[in-house]
Amino acid sequence: MAPWRSSRASDDGVLDSPESLAREGYACHGAELYRYALSRLSDDGAAQDAVQETIVRAWRAGARFDPARATLRTWLFAILRNVIIDHAAARARVAALPAAVAERGEGQMPDPMGSVADADLITRALGLISHDHRTAIVETYLRDRPYDEVAAELGVSVSTLRSRVFHGLKQLRHTMKMMVVEP
C-alpha cells in the first residue's frame, strides 16, 4: 500500500492509490480550485479545463505526493498554479500568430517555400544550441508537453526546466540571427 495520507479523516488515514488521491482532492478542494482558476483566467471554460488538468496531473503524479512536505490542498494548488502558467503561455503563443500573419500583409497567402526555409533554419539552429536547452524547447515548446511531466522525465525541477526553455529560446534566437544572411 502506498503511503499517501488523506487530508480527510478516514479510518486508517491512508489512500490506496493515486486515483483515490485525485478523487479526494477534487471532492475536498475542487470548488476552491475552480474559484482560484476563474479569478486568474477570467473565463469559466478555461477555469474548468484548468481544474480538470490539475486533477489529471495529480492523478499521474500521485506517487510523488508527500504529505510530510505539504497538505493535499497545498500540493493541488501548486499543480494548478503550473497549469495556469502553461495556459497563459499557450495563450501568448496563440496571440502571437495573428501578429505574424499581419507582418506578411493582410490577405496574402503564406509562402510555403518560406515556411520550409523557416523550418530548416530552426532545425539547423536547434542543432547548434546545447543538448539540455534543445531538449527543453522541443519537449515543452514544440511538442507542447506540460512542464511538470517533462521535468519529471528529465529528473530536474520545474524551475530548472523553465530556465532551460527561457535561456534556450534566447540562444536559439541569437543563433538564428547569426545564421541569417542579411541582403
Side-chain angles (χ1 to χ4, degrees):
M1 183 181 257
W4 299 296
R5 293 274 172 226
S6 172
S7 60
R8 268 191 310 190
S10 64
D11 295 342
D12 60 0
V14 177
L15 292 170
D16 59 355
S17 70
E19 182 180 331
S20 297
L21 181 74
R23 190 172 283 142
E24 180 181 342
Y26 184 75
C28 293
H29 306 292
E32 194 177 8
L33 292 167
Y34 169 76
R35 285 191 302 274
Y36 179 79
L38 184 61
S39 73
R40 297 297 183 260
L41 298 171
S42 301
D43 178 3
D44 178 62
Q48 289 178 22
D49 289 346
V51 172
Q52 179 180 5
E53 177 65 20
T54 299
I55 298 303
V56 168
R57 288 184 188 185
W59 172 63
R60 287 182 182 156
R64 292 193 309 261
F65 174 65
D66 182 2
R69 291 184 65 196
T71 64
L72 178 59
R73 180 183 180 277
T74 301
W75 186 63
L76 289 171
F77 270 92
I79 294 171
L80 178 60
R81 180 182 161 274
N82 289 332
V83 169
I84 290 170
I85 289 169
D86 292 346
H87 182 80
R91 271 188 182 175
R93 285 194 300 268
V94 169
L97 289 177
V101 171
E103 286 177 11
R104 294 181 189 204
E106 261 187 70
Q108 286 185 353
M109 294 295 291
D111 176 17
M113 293 308 291
S115 297
V116 169
D118 290 347
D120 180 60
L121 176 65
I122 292 168
T123 302
R124 288 186 297 126
L126 277 169
L128 296 174
I129 65 174
S130 74
H131 173 74
D132 289 342
H133 290 121
R134 179 176 50 253
T135 302
I137 291 169
V138 168
E139 294 301 320
T140 60
Y141 201 81
L142 299 178
R143 292 186 178 156
D144 200 24
R145 292 180 57 204
Y147 278 79
D148 59 342
E149 183 180 298
V150 175
E153 188 176 288
L154 296 175
V156 298
S157 69
V158 173
S159 60
T160 298
L161 181 63
R162 288 186 189 283
S163 178
R164 286 181 183 176
V165 170
F166 175 81
H167 291 290
L169 288 172
K170 202 171 176 180
Q171 276 185 346
L172 188 63
R173 281 187 211 102
H174 177 73
T175 302
M176 288 171 57
K177 279 183 185 176
M178 301 307 286
M179 292 172 67
V180 174
V181 179
E182 301 269 341

